[in-house]
């Protein structure tokens, strides 16, 4: 069974920084993409960043240049460094994985789900003045 354990999040001022972590367990190999979606109240779910197993990364335009996704393969932990936070970054953030979908397709909220795909419990990020 694949499990994702999320940590980080919380409150930050406008222009501040936060780091989210996501630790994956249960995969037999590191051949999966890992990334984050977010959803604010009353808004659509948005895929914002993904790191594929070959190390390539893809970002949504809304976070490009401000957010950075990285991976510690020894700890099986992904990190989302969020800088220059804006009020519109306030949302629940969900770590997700896929062994099938990668890159731009991973960020689609309508992507297909596969048996070994997983999603974390979510962590709240609040950005305010």
């Amino acid at each position: 069974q694949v499990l994702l354990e999320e940590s980080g999040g919380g409150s930050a001022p406008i222009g501040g920084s936060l780091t989210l972590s996501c630790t994956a367990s249960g995969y037999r190999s590191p051949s999966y993409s890992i990334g984050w979606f977010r959803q604010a109240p009353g808004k659509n779910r948005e895929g914002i960043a993904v790191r594929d197993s070959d190390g390539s990364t893809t970002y949504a335009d809304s976070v490009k240049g401000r957010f950075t996704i990285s991976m510690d393969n020894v700890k099986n932990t992904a990190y989302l460094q969020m800088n220059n936070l804006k009020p519109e970054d306030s949302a629940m953030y969900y770590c997700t994985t896929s062994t099938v979908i990668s890159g731009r397709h991973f960020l689609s909220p309508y992507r297909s789900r596969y048996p070994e795909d997983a999603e974390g419990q979510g962590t709240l990020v609040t950005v305010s003045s």
Side-chain angles (χ1 to χ4, degrees):
Q1 181 183 6
V2 176
L3 295 174
L4 301 180
E5 182 174 350
E6 298 187 62
S7 61
S11 298
I14 295 172
S17 298
L18 287 172
T19 302
L20 307 183
S21 301
C22 178
T23 300
S25 62
Y27 280 115
R28 293 184 292 273
S29 78
S31 298
Y32 57 88
S33 296
I34 186 165
W36 272 270
F37 282 74
R38 67 185 181 185
Q39 188 164 21
K43 295 191 175 181
N44 293 330
R45 184 175 165 97
E46 178 187 18
I48 58 170
V50 58
R51 185 192 181 277
D52 298 327
S53 58
D54 64 359
S56 60
T57 56
T58 306
Y59 297 93
D61 289 343
S62 59
V63 306
K64 196 174 295 182
R66 300 187 299 121
F67 291 11
T68 303
I69 187 169
S70 60
M71 184 75 177
D72 183 330
N73 289 316
V74 174
K75 297 181 179 179
N76 292 324
T77 298
Y79 302 94
L80 184 68
Q81 175 67 42
M82 304 184 293
N83 297 327
N84 190 20
L85 285 164
K86 303 177 180 180
E88 53 264 41
D89 293 321
S90 297
M92 281 293 290
Y93 283 68
Y94 299 91
C95 176
T96 72
T97 59
S98 178
T99 60
V100 179
I101 305 295
S102 62
R104 180 65 60 182
H105 298 289
F106 182 100
L107 299 183
S108 170
Y110 309 109
R111 75 172 203 239
S112 299
R113 305 292 176 176
Y114 294 88
E116 288 194 315
D117 290 4
E119 184 161 300
Q121 77 280 6
T123 186
L124 182 64
V125 170
T126 303
V127 182
S128 57
S129 56

